[in-house]
Amino acid sequence: PLPIAPAGVELTVKKVLAEEKNKRHFENLGIIAGATLTVLSQAGGVIIKLHEGRLALDKDLAMKILV
């Protein structure tokens, strides 16, 4: 899961375990199996770099993203 992934390393999303509503939202943001992202910070929530942008996720949602 993202909250325990190493920061500063490019990672590949293996699976998204969210319910359908959240899964669709993740897909719209580009968080799908096979996507690459980098964890920037894990203080409180999780901040990731995805494509050219940054995205903040709360810890509960971040736990549903397996890398």
Side-chain angles (χ1 to χ4, degrees), residues 49-60:
K49 180 180 178 210
L50 180 68
H51 307 297
E52 296 302 315
R54 293 179 182 189
L55 185 63
L57 302 169
D58 74 8
K59 228 171 203 157
D60 292 335

Side-chain angles (χ1 to χ4, degrees), residues 3-66:
I4 59 173
V9 178
E10 189 170 280
L11 305 164
T12 302
V13 176
K14 301 295 183 198
K15 193 170 191 174
V16 178
L17 301 175
E19 52 192 61
E20 199 57 40
K21 177 184 171 190
N22 288 331
K23 195 178 245 186
R24 278 197 311 271
H25 184 62
F26 284 148
E27 288 172 359
N28 290 335
L29 294 170
I31 302 173
I32 57 172
T36 57
L37 53 83
T38 304
V39 175
L40 300 176
S41 171
Q42 297 160 322
V46 178
I47 299 174
I48 61 170
K49 180 180 178 210
L50 180 68
H51 307 297
E52 296 302 315
R54 293 179 182 189
L55 185 63
L57 302 169
D58 74 8
K59 228 171 203 157
D60 292 335
L61 282 178
M63 286 297 290
K64 298 175 191 266
I65 301 171
L66 304 182

